[in-house]
Amino acid sequence: MDTLTRRRFLVASGVVGATALAAGAAAYRLEDLLATAGDRDPEAHTLVLITLYGGNDGLNTVIPYADAAYHDARPDLAYQAEEVKRLDEGFALNPALTGLHRRFGEGQLAVVRGVGYPKPDRSHFRSMDIWHTAQPDRPGTTGWLGRWLDGAGGDPRLAVSFEPALPPLLAGEKSAGASVPVTERKAARGLTQPTLTALAAAAPDDSPARARAAACFADLHAVDDMIKGVRDAADPGEGSEGEAAPATATGGARSSLDAQLDLVAQCIDAGVSTRVFSVSLGGFDTHADEKQLQEVLLGQLDRAVDRFVDRMSRTDAGRKVVVMIYSEFGRRVRANASDGTDHGTASNALLVGVPVRGGLYGEPPSLTDLDDGDLKFTTDFRDVYATILDRVLATDPGPVLAGWRGRLDGVL
């Protein structure tokens, strides 16, 4: 099979980017993964990263309900004090976030305000590249968690995405995580099992790059088998609820967040070696009729996360899980003429779980001292990443984040 055909099939299967194609490793099956459960440090923590694709409106998620400038800028979109889930005398959560509000009261939700980076970009794709690579000046070719994976040994079992394609954040220089959609992959019509086997096998005359690509394809299907095994071993009564949500033009998994987090929970309960899980929810590009749509999406997020965190709180391994929720940017302060908001800049990041010290972190951006109508960031997103690397993944953030020294004090 020629290189071009193989590469096209790999890309269609979800392995994207030159670094991922070059990352060859041995194939793993469920029994190999479960065999590592005893080798894992019982004190090791797990990161679950939830990406809200489309640019979630941060001002209607963490609401400055007591600020007159908020009500003046978006009179028809603003929430009144009696509608919101109060955090303190100035800020509150969206009415749909009932579970996260309860977690805040229990000290398990940290709200990090004003998260962004210098010279923000309002393009969905450019901004997401910046978040994935953690390189605001010039997005590179490797993701921040891919670079962590390189330093952690490169085992693809350590970082798994339940999204349709491998997100760039899991692609390293020498290795890459595994992309395993919740729904079963279906090969194109006419591709027989021998053909699929040939795609995963290096030919004697293959170049090293082609051999690594074949090994990467073998990895992909091996992890698929592993996930099927975990799913089949699960209690039938613990299946996900609700309809599968479609992907949007700005990204997000095609399956429901509830279903993705259900698989994450099954993997953690089974004792797999994975330290990082990536899941997503799309549809937040709310340029029109925003209020009701965002409430629906935030309700989906809230129910899925609350159910997941509740399940995690019952086991030792689960009590070492930290969930991070973020979006590529927030929205403009002022509403547009269509009862929506346009692409903005700084927003919020949420950290949830037993290891989290709940509270409000970061200086809230001013709603009157704006940058061309947009919020000025007060917390660099690399501070959040560095804290996650240090306190959750127990690694030195310096090599991963080009020597970045900022941290969020006290949040974990």
Side-chain angles (χ1 to χ4, degrees):
M1 181 170 291
D2 66 82
T3 305
L4 182 61
T5 302
R6 174 177 281 165
R7 186 182 186 283
R8 282 177 175 167
F9 194 90
L10 286 165
V11 171
S13 299
V15 180
V16 296
T19 52
L21 286 173
Y28 295 100
R29 296 185 179 278
L30 178 60
E31 55 267 27
D32 300 318
L33 191 64
L34 294 177
T36 69
D39 300 331
R40 176 172 171 146
D41 181 354
E43 298 304 314
H45 287 69
T46 301
L47 171 65
V48 178
L49 195 64
I50 302 178
T51 303
L52 307 180
Y53 284 103
N56 177 46
D57 182 5
L59 287 177
N60 270 9
T61 301
V62 180
I63 302 168
Y65 69 92
D67 192 333
Y70 163 73
H71 297 276
D72 292 342
R74 40 173 73 189
D76 293 327
L77 286 182
Y79 286 93
Q80 302 303 314
E82 63 272 16
E83 298 178 279
V84 297
K85 302 292 183 182
R86 295 193 184 193
L87 302 175
D88 65 8
E89 294 306 310
F91 290 86
L93 291 180
N94 187 284
L97 298 177
T98 55
L100 288 178
H101 183 253
R102 187 178 70 258
R103 300 287 170 192
F104 185 86
E106 296 170 351
Q108 295 184 8
L109 170 66
V111 178
V112 188
R113 298 170 293 187
V115 181
Y117 53 87
K119 298 179 181 178
D121 195 293
R122 296 186 187 91
S123 161
H124 290 292
F125 306 104
R126 176 77 171 181
S127 186
M128 193 54 73
D129 282 346
I130 290 171
W131 276 89
H132 280 201
T133 64
Q135 295 170 313
D137 296 334
R138 192 175 194 178
T141 58
T142 60
W144 69 284
L145 287 171
R147 297 192 293 274
W148 164 79
L149 185 62
D150 283 343
D155 187 335
R157 298 173 295 181
L158 292 176
V160 173
S161 169
F162 291 119
E163 299 169 87
L166 184 75
L169 68 95
L170 297 185
E173 182 66 34
K174 299 175 291 185
S175 56
S179 175
V180 185
V182 174
T183 53
E184 182 178 347
R185 297 183 187 275
K186 291 182 171 59
R189 185 175 298 172
L191 289 172
T192 63
Q193 185 58 45
T195 301
L196 295 176
T197 302
L199 281 163
D205 58 347
D206 268 354
S207 68
R210 289 176 63 182
R212 288 194 297 272
C216 208
F217 181 70
D219 265 355
L220 185 68
H221 278 269
V223 180
D224 264 342
D225 289 342
M226 177 268 289
I227 293 301
K228 288 177 189 174
V230 173
R231 185 188 296 117
D232 292 344
D235 184 343
E238 293 183 347
S240 60
E241 301 170 359
E243 296 294 325
T248 67
T250 51
R254 292 179 177 86
S255 54
S256 73
L257 179 61
D258 207 35
Q260 295 171 74
L261 288 177
D262 185 64
L263 278 183
V264 173
Q266 291 175 36
C267 288
I268 293 171
D269 288 345
V272 303
S273 61
T274 307
R275 296 289 306 281
V276 175
F277 293 94
S278 176
V279 299
S280 65
L281 177 65
F284 286 90
D285 198 16
T286 50
H287 290 274
D289 301 321
E290 175 186 307
K291 199 169 185 178
Q292 183 177 2
L293 173 59
Q294 189 194 25
E295 276 199 36
V296 170
L297 291 170
L298 291 179
Q300 293 175 11
L301 171 70
D302 186 78
R303 288 187 294 274
V305 171
D306 190 52
R307 178 173 175 264
F308 174 76
V309 174
D310 181 65
R311 179 171 173 177
M312 290 297 94
S313 67
R314 302 171 195 165
T315 65
D316 288 341
R319 286 189 287 271
K320 295 180 177 66
V321 172
V322 173
V323 179
M324 175 180 168
I325 305 168
Y326 77 103
S327 193
E328 68 261 39
F329 47 61
R331 315 296 289 192
R332 303 277 283 183
V333 175
R334 187 165 296 279
N336 60 30
S338 302
D339 292 328
T341 52
D342 298 324
H343 299 177
T345 53
S347 190
N348 315 287
L350 306 179
L351 299 175
V352 196
V354 174
V356 175
R357 291 176 180 165
L360 297 172
Y361 294 83
E363 186 70 22
S366 170
L367 299 189
T368 54
D369 180 18
L370 304 176
D371 180 10
D372 191 25
D374 279 323
L375 298 174
K376 297 178 180 178
F377 83 98
T378 58
T379 303
D380 196 295
F381 76 123
R382 288 166 290 187
D383 290 358
V384 183
Y385 286 176
T387 304
I388 291 290
L389 288 164
D390 182 20
R391 306 297 295 172
V392 179
L393 298 179
T395 193
D396 179 7
V400 176
L401 301 177
W404 188 260
R405 302 179 67 85
R407 299 289 191 280
L408 288 176
D409 293 333
V411 71
L412 292 171

